[in-house]
Amino acid sequence: MQNHSADSIERLVGLLPRAMRNQIEQWGEAAAVLSASRDPRVAASLLPSGVRGLFLKRGKQGIPTQMPAHHLAHFDWRYPSDQPEMADLYARAKQGQWNADDLPWHTSVDPLDPTVALLPEGFLDIEGLTAYGVRLDQREKIKMQASLCAWMLSQFLHGEQGALFAAAQVTEAVQFFDGKLYGSTQVMDEGRHVEVFRRYLDEKLGRLYQINDNLFVVIDALMTDGRWDMKFLGMQIMVEGLALGAFGVLHRRTEEPLLKQLLRQVIQDEARHVHYGVVALREHVTHALSERERREREDWAFEVALLMRDRFLAHELYDEWFAHRMTRAQWREFISNSPGMREFRHTMFRRMVPNLREIGLLSDRIRPHYEAVGLMEYYHGAAADKLTADELIRELS
Amino acid sequence: MTEGREGWVLRWLGRGVGATLTQLESDAKMLLGGVRGEAPAPFMQRQAPVWGAAKAPRSVGHEMLQVLRVEPAAEDAVSLVLHDPSGRALRWQAGQFFTLKVRVLGVEHRRAYSVSWAESAAEPPGSVRVTVQRVPGGMVSERLVRDSKAGDWLAVEGPAGRFVLPDAVGEVVLLGGGSGVTPLVAMAQEALGPGRATRVVMLLGARNHARALHEAALQALAAGSGGRMVLHSLVDQRAPGDDAAVREGRLDAATLGALLDEAQVSENARYFMCGPEAMLGSLRATLLARGVSASAIEEERFVRPSATRQRGSAEAQPVTLRVLGREVTVAQKPGQTLLDAGLVAGVEMPFSCTMGGCGACRVKLIAGEVSQEEPNCLRAHERDAGMVLACVARAEGPVTVEVP
């Protein structure tokens, strides 16, 4: 029945002009994202953010977005020092500071130079586009790869802006004093990441893609949630996990030396951030949350993981390149099966799943769901608190 | 607050998150645009050059060319024949150069290479030949000579250069040494080519016969010129296996005088010289001493980018650019050149080699003080007229320049 009505809707939509058809497909996709969630509580908590991001496209309106915050600033006039692992991270973070001006910015970058490819040939299966009746010539191919790279870096930049503000909020809200000190270094780190990605896009690639609607939803949900541990879980585990996956793939694949070095520096910072996320949340989930609260976070993490896996699909690139040549559904199929995206998902979950296990959000109750979507293969990996930055880099290259 | 019904609905949808009226209007615009099938722009253009477009409309072209074949040109030297695989014919004037952008260990180096054949002699037509001789310790020449192969892509800018044959000229004397021979080969072919009746006297110097570039081709050109071309190649030192025709000697004052006399060079001849700095200086002195007017002598120097880049002022400096009767003031950030500052701000400034070697970016200094990297290709009369090269000049304080 459902299939039947979907068919007839599709037929009707097919009669509309292409641009409008595209828009309707987009809304359908958004509705599917919002209704996909199994858990009504999770769905309800994501709904307002979903409306703002997917329907109103607030990230793409070309004006600043105001996001209200509802968290409490947690002061402690006794300055307790009871979290040695966080104190140690703080000490290491101070040592690990670097100056973005020291990167080799004089390197000239030609996005269209195939001898120093931003992304290697084969990152996207461009020949596979012929199956959809789209053929690109050599120059378009190179341009397309460069566009994808600029798109990825633009999303990193938007993500880092979110991380900068979330790190500041979490630093206010967290109850561990050693965590606050550490958090201050993370704020600096995120500021530096915004600096380097913006500078690279401005000076080297010359274009900034708009924020992906689904990334906007995740950031909006974190910023407007009053519970600090939700911000934390979202930012330190999920978004940073996504970032580590994406940075890692790009670091491994790009031939552009400045970008490679820039990412290497950023990844070393990110390794500390995820480590902190694991330490702080493990403490919080095991000691401070009730079972009901823990379950809610567990479900939320699962839904967000799926959102990231299935929806982070470079639609801005589709709008630029293929909106008049193929349907959104075809694009989704093409991009999610491309070798680069597969590698990205693999890297992301290899980091994220063990971290969720370590902080206690992968109980027997949720595991069958992870099993069902094929993510349990990552269960036994090492969590961030067991990985040094060096190991992480080694693993990435 | 007067929001209207639309605003109320939006506010409800937004779950009362305290959105401002501006936000609601913007939300409404986005939704209405969506209904009409309009999508927001996928990206914004930032300050770096637009991909695939020429960097500035008045600058010379910038593109990727492919190596069609690699030919030996002499000991330690190769000729690279470059073409545009889309089939478009490349155009240049004999004597001009292209700037090759070559990446070695991740750093891009720019080197100017003269085209070593004339358009009329290009094989296939529309392709460019550059000849690269290995320079001891030269990273770029080493890389190009050793690693170039058919199918390679090279980022290229050009053509550029003011060292070109005049349209109507009765006689030209081409003087060169070492890799300075390359533009002269193109000029000789051009001078002897269709539609011209120019007489060519070509006097070349090389360290030894094996290193003399395009030697056989030049001999053949002279032999087939029906007496219009006189060629003398001298080598510093003969090698044991050399053919009897190889002459030992240097293009010093005495030899040059004797050879010019022997060739019976006319008074109206124009002189084109290209080679190492020291050689050019002594040739020039000899010619002037023989009564050749300075305006009849053109030289092409191969300027290597200076190893130590001056940093210029440590603070941002206002640079006022007069372009086409308009004045634009841009900020030169620390480390930037006048050219960088102008291009970043979107001002159309001509340029080509960006290393002080071609003169394409000359601007006239009206007020203020700049520091320039030396050596560069500015000629004495240009310096006297207050010209500076925007690509190697940095403002030391507030500066006003005129872009021609």
Side-chain angles (χ1 to χ4, degrees):
Chain A
M1 175 60 206
Q2 205 182 355
N3 265 340
H4 182 74
S5 64
D7 276 356
S8 50
I9 289 176
E10 214 163 88
R11 247 202 331 275
L12 279 175
V13 167
L15 299 173
L16 293 169
R18 187 121 216 184
M20 210 173 287
R21 198 181 341 161
N22 201 320
Q23 183 62 49
I24 289 175
E25 281 174 358
Q26 228 179 98
W27 284 335
E29 206 175 274
V33 172
L34 293 181
S35 59
S37 169
R38 260 145 294 252
D39 185 298
R41 234 193 339 246
V42 174
S45 84
L46 285 177
L47 180 67
S49 302
V51 169
R52 290 190 285 265
L54 301 177
F55 288 98
L56 301 178
K57 295 180 182 291
R58 286 236 172 122
K60 288 178 173 151
Q61 291 182 358
I63 59 170
T65 309
Q66 311 288 337
M67 295 187 190
H70 304 291
H71 65 283
L72 299 175
H74 177 99
F75 278 77
D76 194 333
W77 313 108
R78 301 163 300 164
Y79 307 95
S81 173
D82 49 7
Q83 295 291 337
E85 207 168 346
M86 293 181 202
D88 178 52
L89 273 172
Y90 176 52
R92 276 201 272 146
K94 286 189 292 182
Q95 295 291 329
Q97 295 296 311
W98 47 281
N99 182 353
D101 288 335
D102 295 340
L103 286 172
W105 290 106
H106 61 272
T107 309
S108 68
V109 178
D110 180 352
L112 301 186
D113 179 355
T115 63
V116 193
L118 286 167
L119 290 176
E121 214 165 312
F123 193 86
L124 289 180
D125 174 24
I126 289 183
E127 298 308 324
L129 280 170
T130 48
Y132 307 101
V134 176
R135 207 177 287 276
L136 299 184
D137 67 23
Q138 189 58 32
R139 200 175 163 75
E140 283 179 311
K141 237 193 258 182
I142 294 166
K143 229 168 149 171
M144 166 81 197
Q145 312 254 44
S147 301
L148 177 62
C149 183
W151 179 82
M152 289 174 78
L153 289 168
S154 301
Q155 303 313 320
F156 295 171
L157 173 57
H158 299 311
E160 294 291 358
Q161 184 181 184
L164 173 60
F165 303 159
Q169 291 188 353
V170 165
T171 303
E172 292 175 8
V174 73
Q175 74 265 37
F176 313 115
F177 213 87
D178 289 315
K180 288 180 186 292
L181 290 183
Y182 166 78
S184 66
T185 66
Q186 188 174 333
V187 173
M188 179 63 223
D189 291 349
E190 308 294 11
R192 188 169 46 231
H193 299 173
V194 170
E195 175 190 351
V196 294
F197 286 122
R198 182 177 72 171
R199 183 163 174 190
Y200 191 85
L201 286 163
D202 273 7
E203 292 181 14
K204 304 302 178 186
L205 298 190
R207 63 168 63 172
L208 171 64
Y209 279 86
Q210 303 242 50
I211 184 170
N212 178 271
D213 297 332
N214 295 293
L215 179 60
F216 181 95
V217 172
V218 176
I219 291 177
D220 182 284
L222 297 176
M223 297 307 290
T224 54
D225 200 308
R227 298 163 293 184
W228 77 266
D229 66 310
M230 291 298 275
K231 291 182 194 293
F232 221 83
L233 174 60
M235 204 38 90
Q236 305 283 60
I237 304 293
M238 311 305 288
V239 175
E240 297 271 7
L242 175 97
L244 264 182
F247 294 166
V249 173
L250 197 53
H251 177 268
R252 203 163 29 221
R253 293 289 169 225
T254 188
E255 290 165 20
E256 201 287 283
L258 169 60
L259 181 56
K260 224 180 175 65
Q261 196 170 334
L262 179 160
L263 287 168
R264 191 188 171 86
Q265 295 287 95
V266 170
I267 288 168
Q268 291 182 346
D269 292 342
E270 299 292 346
R272 285 197 302 273
H273 303 173
V274 185
H275 187 163
Y276 173 54
V278 169
V279 173
L281 282 172
R282 185 170 50 201
E283 182 70 24
H284 184 71
V285 172
T286 47
H287 294 118
L289 289 185
S290 70
E291 176 57 17
R292 193 184 60 82
E293 288 170 325
R294 195 198 62 76
R295 278 209 303 262
E296 187 188 346
R297 279 136 183 91
E298 193 167 72
D299 292 337
W300 190 88
F302 179 67
E303 297 298 342
V304 171
L306 287 190
L307 186 72
M308 286 173 165
R309 187 190 68 168
D310 300 338
R311 303 295 172 177
F312 199 55
L313 295 177
H315 285 118
E316 292 69 23
L317 215 58
Y318 166 79
D319 289 340
E320 177 193 359
W321 280 81
F322 301 108
H324 55 293
R325 305 199 224 190
M326 59 205 271
T327 65
R328 281 177 85 84
Q330 287 173 328
W331 170 256
R332 270 201 308 276
E333 183 180 74
F334 165 73
I335 192 84
S336 44
N337 289 323
S338 64
M341 276 295 173
R342 275 209 293 267
E343 186 180 345
F344 156 66
R345 285 196 299 264
H346 174 73
T347 314
M348 168 170 92
F349 287 115
R350 199 154 61 108
R351 295 270 74 83
M352 193 187 291
V353 172
N355 290 341
L356 288 170
R357 179 202 68 208
E358 199 55 33
I359 58 181
L361 294 185
L362 256 182
S363 68
D364 291 344
R365 180 187 146 269
I366 196 90
R367 264 183 245 174
H369 293 288
Y370 279 89
E371 186 74 65
V373 293
L375 292 179
M376 276 307 282
E377 61 167 305
Y378 302 106
Y379 183 77
H380 294 289
D385 60 327
K386 302 291 185 307
L387 278 174
T388 65
D390 284 348
E391 281 168 329
L392 207 56
I393 289 280
R394 246 202 317 282
E395 217 175 274
L396 290 172
S397 36
Chain B
M1 216 151 85
T2 53
E3 281 172 18
R5 188 142 52 143
E6 210 166 47
W8 183 84
V9 171
L10 291 172
R11 170 157 288 206
W12 174 79
L13 276 175
R15 275 252 193 112
V17 288
T20 61
L21 193 58
T22 321
Q23 178 67 72
L24 293 171
E25 272 172 16
S26 182
D27 287 347
K29 223 190 291 172
M30 180 61 81
L31 278 180
L32 288 174
V35 172
R36 284 197 292 265
E38 297 162 4
F43 63 83
M44 295 168 233
Q45 189 61 42
R46 308 294 276 193
Q47 58 182 242
V50 179
W51 300 356
K55 282 192 178 130
R58 287 199 291 150
S59 82
V60 285
H62 156 93
E63 54 205 323
M64 299 299 303
L65 296 181
Q66 199 169 26
V67 177
L68 187 62
R69 58 179 193 269
V70 181
E71 300 168 343
E75 184 182 286
D76 266 355
V78 294
S79 287
L80 309 178
V81 177
L82 308 174
H83 75 143
D84 179 345
S86 76
R88 183 178 54 96
L90 302 165
R91 303 296 309 267
W92 70 97
Q93 286 176 273
Q96 285 193 308
F97 61 85
F98 281 83
T99 304
L100 270 50
K101 301 194 278 182
V102 181
R103 217 173 260 280
V104 182
L105 300 173
V107 179
E108 183 185 279
H109 299 269
R110 305 169 62 101
R111 292 287 185 276
Y113 288 103
S114 299
V115 184
S116 61
W117 60 25
E119 270 190 10
S120 56
E123 185 48 50
S127 63
V128 157
R129 181 178 74 178
V130 294
T131 303
V132 184
Q133 189 152 39
R134 187 178 278 145
V135 179
M139 284 182 293
V140 175
S141 61
E142 170 73 33
R143 163 84 176 271
L144 286 173
V145 170
R146 192 190 57 204
D147 298 340
S148 293
K149 57 184 188 309
D152 285 354
W153 288 88
L154 281 172
V156 167
E157 267 172 32
R162 298 172 284 162
F163 184 71
V164 294
L165 225 46
D167 279 342
V169 58
E171 184 171 33
V172 290
V173 179
L174 307 176
L175 302 169
S179 56
V181 170
T182 54
L184 304 180
V185 175
M187 290 170 118
Q189 290 174 336
E190 174 73 21
L192 297 173
R196 285 192 187 255
T198 311
R199 179 167 187 255
V200 178
V201 176
M202 195 173 197
L203 307 178
L204 306 175
R207 206 177 312 155
N208 56 52
H209 186 61
R211 283 184 65 87
L213 294 172
H214 301 296
E215 180 63 18
L218 284 171
Q219 294 292 356
L221 188 66
S225 71
R228 269 167 66 197
M229 177 172 170
V230 175
L231 171 69
H232 291 295
S233 299
L234 302 181
V235 298
D236 292 354
Q237 213 165 17
R238 282 177 56 90
D242 279 350
D243 174 308
V246 176
R247 285 170 65 173
E248 208 170 76
R250 279 172 196 270
L251 280 179
D252 53 22
T255 319
L256 178 62
L259 289 173
L260 290 176
D261 288 340
E262 184 190 318
Q264 299 182 329
V265 172
S266 75
E267 269 180 31
N268 297 326
R270 301 282 300 268
Y271 293 79
F272 293 84
M273 325 195 288
C274 184
E277 191 77 33
M279 178 189 193
L280 292 184
S282 95
L283 289 176
R284 186 179 187 85
T286 309
L287 292 177
L288 292 175
R290 281 175 62 89
V292 176
S293 123
S295 63
I297 306 174
E298 291 286 342
E299 336 176 320
E300 177 86 324
R301 293 158 197 263
F302 286 143
V303 181
R304 285 251 251 148
S306 35
T308 52
R309 285 177 74 92
Q310 296 183 359
R311 262 192 80 78
S313 169
E315 287 147 31
Q317 296 295 349
V319 173
T320 303
L321 302 163
R322 286 192 194 162
V323 198
L324 303 170
R326 266 183 332 125
E327 283 204 351
V328 192
T329 302
V330 303
Q332 174 197 282
K333 291 186 195 153
Q336 284 186 329
T337 61
L338 296 181
L339 181 65
D340 294 335
L343 291 179
V344 162
V347 179
E348 293 174 13
M349 294 175 73
F351 68 92
S352 176
C353 77
T354 72
M355 55 187 208
C358 74
C361 64
R362 275 170 308 156
V363 294
K364 187 167 181 176
L365 187 61
I366 308 287
E369 202 181 315
V370 300
S371 58
Q372 269 189 107
E373 281 164 23
E374 303 284 349
N376 60 53
C377 72
L378 271 182
R379 293 164 193 183
H381 66 93
E382 292 170 334
R383 280 173 205 270
D384 296 344
M387 303 301 260
V388 294
L389 293 175
C391 72
V392 290
R394 294 173 168 85
E396 293 293 343
V399 153
T400 302
V401 297
E402 187 172 280
V403 182

